[in-house]
Amino acid sequence: LKHNMAFTDRLHNRGSISTGYDIDNSLKVEADNTEYLSRTPSSNTNRQTFTYSTWVKRTELGINGAILDAYQDGSNFFLLQFDTSDRFVVYQIDSGTDYGYHYTPRFRDTSAWYHIVFVSDTTNATAADRYQLYVNGERISNSDVDTNYGTPPQNYNNNLNSTIAHSIGKRGDGPTYNSCYLAETHLVDGTALAPTAFGEFDEDTGIWKPIEVDVTYGTNGFYLNYENASVLGDDDSGNGNNFTANNITSADQATDTPTNNFC
């Protein structure tokens, strides 16, 4: 317990900090209202190597809260989520064969923004580096888990970046929905990036903070900044990979962000 408390204390971003890069808006989704974003890619792209980055502030604990889901059916999907025990889960199921991890730390601070970066690089010869999870700039070890499904084989193709339904805020099997704020959501198709592509440690406070991102997104990549209240699924990467807003209205745009954090 002491280990988990100390670990998660280092991962909190509770303050309204001056970063040199200000985030104006976030998206607030509610499970009770079945609010989520969805998109189905028109082509298969790089299913081995990609990076997903988003800031998230939880508003309801003890639920299956997906921040990214690529769902074909109950035996074939890719998932990043907080689970009912408030652990973070990386999970890929392929025709009933499971890969991934339920990580040990509990993420229960509803006053904090967490920056989640997940990297898939199944081309990596080092099995432990094929799935990498970072929270506020720190890597969570694949050995620090409650449930270990194991790493996928080398050159494995995940469900992400295939022509199936991709969702943010919804888990396809069930389905279940998330309650949280989301900000600065990026998918980089075809590149494994370090968290320093999206954030940095403040030299005075040591707090992990967002930076302006300059990346090549790849064909199915996207950037959601939630700045257009009338089109909250608008992709600002230049790719035009816009998401459909389901049960989401302009009232779901918020000003609680990683650089303007409200209690």
Side-chain angles (χ1 to χ4, degrees):
L1 177 61
K2 289 182 180 179
H3 166 74
N4 286 341
M5 290 177 64
F7 183 85
T8 53
D9 279 347
R10 296 200 308 274
L11 302 181
H12 293 175
N13 179 353
R14 293 192 180 92
S16 298
I17 56 175
S18 176
T19 68
Y21 176 68
D22 291 326
I23 301 171
D24 294 327
N25 296 111
S26 62
L27 170 67
K28 188 174 189 291
V29 293
E30 290 283 353
D32 289 346
N33 298 332
T34 62
E35 297 171 346
Y36 67 101
L37 300 171
S38 61
R39 173 180 178 266
T40 300
S42 60
S43 62
N44 293 323
T45 54
N46 199 322
R47 297 168 58 190
Q48 299 173 349
T49 305
F50 53 84
T51 305
Y52 186 70
S53 166
T54 194
W55 289 80
V56 58
K57 181 178 179 180
R58 307 190 69 197
T59 59
E60 184 176 352
L61 304 179
I63 64 172
N64 283 317
I67 62 170
L68 183 64
D69 178 76
Y71 182 77
Q72 178 178 333
D73 56 44
S75 298
N76 297 274
F77 62 89
F78 171 85
L79 178 67
L80 301 177
Q81 74 159 28
F82 298 98
D83 71 4
T84 56
S85 297
D86 303 314
R87 303 172 298 181
F88 196 81
V89 177
V90 172
Y91 184 64
Q92 163 70 37
I93 182 170
D94 183 355
S95 299
T97 300
D98 303 321
Y99 303 108
Y101 308 94
H102 291 230
Y103 292 91
T104 303
R106 267 54 171 178
F107 297 94
R108 291 173 171 155
D109 190 343
T110 55
S111 69
W113 279 92
Y114 298 106
H115 181 219
I116 306 292
V117 175
F118 172 74
V119 181
S120 172
D121 181 13
T122 64
T123 69
N124 200 309
T126 302
D129 290 336
R130 291 175 196 156
Y131 283 171
Q132 301 174 38
L133 177 68
Y134 299 85
V135 180
N136 286 3
E138 294 191 14
R139 184 170 177 182
I140 301 182
S141 171
N142 290 349
S143 63
D144 195 3
V145 297
D146 285 341
T147 306
N148 185 348
Y149 298 110
T151 55
Q154 193 169 17
N155 300 318
Y156 176 78
N157 286 317
N158 296 282
N159 281 67
L160 199 81
N161 285 330
S162 61
T163 55
I164 59 176
H166 288 49
S167 301
I168 296 171
K170 173 187 176 183
R171 174 173 171 166
D173 66 325
T176 59
Y177 301 88
N178 202 354
S179 291
C180 67
Y181 293 90
L182 295 162
E184 290 288 292
T185 303
H186 303 262
L187 176 68
V188 179
D189 176 3
T191 310
L193 295 174
T196 49
F198 309 95
E200 65 184 7
F201 290 105
D202 186 89
E203 61 182 11
D204 295 321
T205 66
I207 292 173
W208 182 256
K209 63 185 185 181
I211 60 173
E212 187 170 4
V213 173
D214 183 13
V215 299
T216 300
Y217 284 93
T219 302
N220 273 332
F222 55 81
Y223 167 38
L224 308 181
N225 59 18
Y226 312 113
E227 289 186 356
N228 187 340
S230 61
V231 190
L232 284 166
D234 186 41
D235 172 25
D236 205 46
S237 72
N239 281 345
N241 292 328
N242 300 319
F243 278 70
T244 298
N246 299 274
N247 303 318
I248 289 171
T249 70
S250 60
D252 295 307
Q253 185 188 58
T255 54
D256 189 333
T257 77
T259 60
N260 188 34
N261 187 23
F262 301 152
C263 295

